[in-house]
Amino acid sequence: MRLKSSLLGVAAAAVTLAAAIDGASASTTAPAGMTPSPSTAPPPGTALPSSPTPSSPTPSDSTPSSPPPTGAACTVRYSVYTWDTGLTSSITITNTGVTTITSWRLAFPLPAGQRITAGWNAVYSPSSGNVTARGLDDHVIIGPGASIAIGFVAEHTGGTGSPSSFTLNGTSCSLG
């Protein structure tokens, strides 16, 4: 019990000192059943030592630091198998960064004339044009150096080209 009351006294002194610096008063009442130890804070009305006034920031101090990256370092490998009016694509997303990627979204322009009819390990929306695939179930986390495989089946009207670019969570991926 002595340790608790000593700690409470130290905490009360810190609050009193902080309040005195701010020009306010603070209560140092202990909870019921506890007796605070004598405070080391100066009595009310006692002048406190002045602290140095902060200097104006130098130009180098006022330059904001750049925000942390929000995207992901990645490589995408795309392969396609075509037949008559259909195709099957396989997409491998590799995290080439040093941090884990969670709740990922892979965006890509599906070539004109192609329309996704089914997919696996991701949800695709919309089915044509600028498509976004998002992780599904156990395919939402990509650790550093790890890869996941997703893919889809699509109908086509003769054009079986591959998407020209991929972005993962807003950051461009290299093609591998």
Side-chain angles (χ1 to χ4, degrees):
M1 192 60 118
R2 176 82 176 134
L3 178 60
K4 285 185 181 178
S5 64
S6 294
L7 290 176
L8 181 59
V10 172
V15 169
T16 303
L17 182 58
I21 291 171
D22 287 338
S25 63
S27 170
T28 57
T29 305
M34 295 197 72
T35 306
S37 64
S39 173
T40 57
T46 304
L48 297 172
S50 62
S51 60
T53 305
S55 62
S56 299
T58 62
S60 63
D61 291 343
S62 62
T63 306
S65 61
S66 56
T70 57
C74 55
T75 298
V76 172
R77 188 174 62 234
Y78 182 90
S79 61
V80 64
Y81 171 77
T82 64
W83 69 93
D84 298 328
T85 60
L87 62 86
T88 300
S89 77
S90 293
I91 303 169
T92 302
I93 305 167
T94 302
N95 178 354
T96 58
V98 295
T99 59
T100 299
I101 300 169
T102 60
S103 302
W104 59 266
R105 293 194 180 327
L106 181 71
F108 56 94
L110 197 61
Q114 295 181 17
R115 186 178 70 80
I116 297 172
T117 57
W120 59 92
N121 297 336
V123 174
Y124 299 87
S125 177
S127 61
S128 62
N130 290 319
V131 175
T132 299
R134 65 177 172 80
L136 181 64
D137 299 331
D138 60 343
H139 284 81
V140 295
I141 297 174
I142 312 170
S147 298
I148 62 166
I150 63 173
F152 60 85
V153 176
E155 297 174 339
H156 68 85
T157 58
T160 58
S162 300
S164 57
S165 63
F166 295 88
T167 58
L168 186 64
N169 294 349
T171 300
S172 294
C173 295
S174 60
L175 300 177

